[in-house]
Amino acid sequence: LISPELTKVQKKRALVVSKEVLFASQKSAVEGVQKIISQFQSIARLQETVGLALPLKENTTQALNQLEAISRNSQANISSFDIEPLALSSSKEAIVKRLGSLGFSLSVQGSYEAIKDFMRFLETNVRLTNVQYFHFVAGASNKGQDFYDLNLKAEMFYQEE
């Protein structure tokens, strides 16, 4: 009388154990997939961040807009500006993109604080910039304020597409 019911209970226990094992393996597979997805998302964020500092093409308009915003925020006036694309650097590794740069020369005028802010904003700008040369001289006094001239030569970098 108990024997047939015991067999049914054992079969149901075996079924429960097999379903628990299946659930645990599926749960670990889902966790593994979620981990891979989060890694890809962090790689995408990293690529986006690097893309801001080193865009995938010259994007001269963006460079000009950034310099104009730096000038506006620092209250320094750009009096002359010259820009030219420079040659791409060579890369020995096939998977590494070559770096290109936009060379620019500009003259900036303003108060000492405005010139100092201009250089600070250029240094902390999101796009990677290398100042190669600058010459800072006192300009003419205007309306009781001291004005200075800054002649600057620098390059902004980008990645080859």
Side-chain angles (χ1 to χ4, degrees):
L1 186 66
I2 297 177
S3 188
E5 293 302 318
L6 189 60
T7 306
K8 285 181 185 177
V9 168
Q10 288 176 345
K11 285 182 182 179
K12 290 193 180 205
R13 282 184 183 165
L15 181 64
V16 166
V17 168
S18 69
K19 285 186 177 183
E20 285 176 348
V21 169
L22 177 64
F23 175 75
S25 69
Q26 286 180 347
K27 183 178 177 183
S28 97
V30 167
E31 288 171 353
V33 168
Q34 287 175 338
K35 184 178 177 183
I36 290 171
I37 289 171
S38 70
Q39 287 174 346
F40 279 124
Q41 288 173 342
S42 67
I43 289 171
R45 281 192 298 270
L46 177 63
Q47 281 181 323
E48 184 178 316
T49 303
V50 170
L52 290 174
L54 289 169
L56 289 176
K57 54 185 175 181
E58 287 178 3
N59 210 346
T60 306
T61 306
Q62 178 195 48
L64 292 173
N65 285 337
Q66 288 177 357
L67 288 172
E68 191 273 331
I70 289 170
S71 171
R72 189 173 0 99
N73 289 335
S74 66
Q75 299 177 351
N77 299 316
I78 297 176
S79 58
S80 69
F81 183 81
D82 183 35
I83 191 166
E84 85 176 91
L86 302 173
L88 292 168
S89 65
S90 61
S91 176
K92 295 177 182 173
E93 299 193 29
I95 61 171
V96 177
K97 293 182 179 182
R98 297 187 309 168
L99 286 181
S101 60
L102 292 171
F104 62 92
S105 301
L106 52 101
S107 295
V108 179
Q109 297 174 334
S111 67
Y112 177 80
E113 286 299 318
I115 298 289
K116 187 169 110 176
D117 286 344
F118 183 88
M119 290 295 286
R120 184 171 48 89
F121 293 155
L122 185 63
E123 177 185 25
T124 58
N125 186 30
V126 68
R127 190 160 177 180
L128 187 60
T129 305
N130 180 32
V131 175
Q132 297 170 323
Y133 164 84
F134 71 93
H135 183 70
F136 184 75
V137 294
S141 179
N142 187 9
K143 298 181 185 175
Q145 291 183 331
D146 291 327
F147 279 91
Y148 296 89
D149 293 322
L150 173 70
N151 296 315
L152 175 77
K153 185 173 182 176
E155 57 186 345
M156 285 187 169
F157 295 95
Y158 64 92
Q159 301 176 60
E160 180 183 39
E161 280 190 88

